[in-house]
Amino acid sequence: MAPAPRARRRNPRRPAAPVGGPASAPTAATSTAAVGRAPTRDARTPEVAPIFEQPGVLTPRGKYVFEPALQYGYSSSNRVALVGYTVIPALLIGLIDVREVKRNTTTATVTLRRGLTNRVEVEAKLPYVYRSDATVSREVFTGTAVERAFETSGKSIGDIELAARYQLNDGGVDKPYFIGGLRFKSRTGKDPFEVTTDCQRRCIGENITGSGLPLELPTGSGFYSLQPSLTWLFPSDPAVFFGSFSYLHNFKREVSRTVLGGEQESLGEVAPGGVIGFNFGMGLALNDKASFSVGYDHNSVARTKQSGRTVPGSVRMQLGTLLIGYSYRLSDKKTLSVAVGAGLTRDTPDVTLMVRVPMSF
């Protein structure tokens, strides 16, 4: 009688380290690899698939990250203005101005980051912006039913940005990381007040729309800005929860508008409203190369002031965006990240698409 076959001993498969998971959380395999010796602790923040503008992972000391990116945004809005008076709620005596605007914005950026220490990194960002707007409207103060189309575009370098980030504490498993940041935005892009509008005190010419639309679109904000921020990341294997709080301050300045014929029309001192922002999300490792993130971003824009007074018609705007993104590691030094955003409020772009390819060296 043949002896019974021996039971084969099976070793459990070692789990792969997830991309976007906590970098400081030791796996079961690493914790048992060296018995009697405490595992080495990595104080770096965990990696997640990026869906917000500010990154959460700092660049290691002495390393560089070069990140080309392409962002596309589309938004549409409809406006109906009633010029006249009503006899009864169902009867209007006057004119109706119907306006429909379609906006397309494509921004190509190159970003360079350098890690000064394991806790400090600096960043420089150079954007190139291409914008195109199409406005379909009926003329105000005329009885025609003919609609006019007004199209304009603009392309140039955008506002160059400089930033610095500092990791405030040593996080870990079930311990949050906190990162403080400071971003400065210049006004190297084409100023909104430099472009020529189609109005000269009153609207004239072929493109009569009644609103002084620009003949060329700007590529910058026209104001210097400073934005402090606080980012937090909380690793909870296999997920990472993250978010940030920020405040964008725009510095006021004297401006004048350029109208047809090269004439300058002084607008006085203009102070754009500050922007209070916050976001939060969750990142999840799918395997050793891919990770997935979902989050929400919100910005509250205050009212604009002109010569110390609130601009008539200026209201506080709420911008809310739902974001979904994924990241795939192409190699040890290159990653592909894609994020899609959907606007949830009326003033937010309908859809945004961001593609990034960060490369470390």
Side-chain angles (χ1 to χ4, degrees), residues 156 187-197 214-220 222 253 255-259 262-264:
S156 181
R187 55 185 188 94
T188 54
K190 186 167 295 185
D191 199 308
F193 306 100
E194 293 176 351
V195 297
T196 304
T197 64
L215 300 178
E216 183 181 2
L217 294 179
T219 59
R253 71 183 184 97
V255 298
S256 59
R257 182 176 64 173
T258 305
V259 295
E263 184 180 354
Q264 296 291 321

Side-chain angles (χ1 to χ4, degrees), residues 23-353:
S24 60
T27 60
T30 57
S31 61
T32 58
V35 179
R37 186 175 63 185
T40 58
R41 183 179 181 183
D42 188 358
R44 291 193 61 211
T45 52
E47 298 184 8
V48 294
I51 54 177
F52 304 129
E53 288 189 5
Q54 67 276 14
V57 178
L58 299 182
T59 306
R61 178 181 180 181
K63 297 293 185 179
Y64 290 87
V65 173
F66 176 74
E67 182 182 281
L70 185 66
Q71 182 178 13
Y72 170 76
Y74 171 79
S75 61
S76 62
S77 62
N78 298 321
R79 192 192 75 175
V80 178
L82 305 180
V83 184
Y85 60 94
T86 58
V87 178
I88 58 175
L91 176 62
L92 170 69
I93 299 178
L95 300 170
I96 301 178
D97 176 27
V98 181
R99 182 166 300 155
E100 183 179 4
V101 182
K102 308 290 185 183
R103 294 186 175 94
N104 294 271
T105 304
T106 303
T107 306
T109 60
V110 289
T111 304
L112 182 64
R113 303 187 191 97
R114 185 180 189 275
L116 300 181
T117 69
N118 287 331
R119 287 179 175 265
V120 179
E121 76 168 8
V122 291
E123 175 187 280
K125 179 182 293 186
L126 174 63
Y128 186 86
V129 181
Y130 173 76
R131 297 179 56 191
S132 64
D133 284 11
T135 303
V136 178
S137 63
R138 292 185 181 179
E139 301 176 10
V140 183
F141 304 128
T142 62
T144 180
V146 178
E147 294 182 344
R148 287 182 176 268
F150 179 80
E151 296 184 3
T152 182
S153 62
K155 55 181 178 180
S156 181
I157 293 176
D159 294 336
I160 296 176
E161 300 179 9
L162 300 175
R165 301 178 186 87
Y166 175 72
Q167 183 174 326
L168 302 175
N169 70 321
D170 290 330
V173 181
D174 295 331
K175 294 182 179 179
Y177 296 83
F178 294 100
I179 300 172
L182 186 65
R183 182 174 68 99
F184 171 76
K185 186 187 69 62
S186 66
R187 55 185 188 94
T188 54
K190 186 167 295 185
D191 199 308
F193 306 100
E194 293 176 351
V195 297
T196 304
T197 64
D198 67 340
C199 288
Q200 188 176 9
R201 297 293 190 271
R202 62 184 180 85
C203 293
I204 62 176
E206 294 294 331
N207 298 314
I208 303 176
T209 59
S211 64
L213 294 175
L215 300 178
E216 183 181 2
L217 294 179
T219 59
S221 67
F223 297 89
Y224 291 108
S225 303
L226 193 65
Q227 183 184 42
S229 63
L230 177 64
T231 302
W232 57 272
L233 298 97
F234 184 77
S236 180
D237 195 24
V240 177
F241 301 94
F242 54 88
S244 69
F245 301 93
S246 65
Y247 176 77
L248 178 67
H249 175 73
N250 295 296
F251 295 93
K252 59 185 178 181
R253 71 183 184 97
E254 292 282 340
V255 298
S256 59
R257 182 176 64 173
T258 305
V259 295
L260 288 178
E263 184 180 354
Q264 296 291 321
E265 182 181 358
S266 178
L267 299 178
E269 186 182 67
V270 176
V275 182
I276 301 174
F278 69 90
N279 55 55
F280 56 89
M282 180 192 71
L284 183 65
L286 303 178
N287 52 43
D288 60 343
K289 288 189 175 183
S291 60
F292 172 83
S293 295
V294 60
Y296 174 77
D297 183 74
H298 192 94
N299 291 282
S300 179
V301 184
R303 305 173 67 180
T304 300
K305 292 186 177 181
Q306 181 179 6
S307 300
R309 299 179 180 179
T310 303
V311 175
S314 176
V315 296
R316 177 175 288 273
M317 292 189 299
Q318 306 295 334
L319 310 177
T321 306
L322 178 65
L323 293 147
I324 299 176
Y326 75 90
S327 180
Y328 185 81
R329 183 182 299 172
L330 301 175
S331 65
D332 293 338
K333 297 184 178 181
K334 186 185 299 183
T335 304
L336 172 65
S337 300
V338 178
V340 178
L344 302 182
T345 59
R346 190 169 187 177
D347 298 316
T348 312
D350 298 336
V351 63
T352 57
L353 175 64

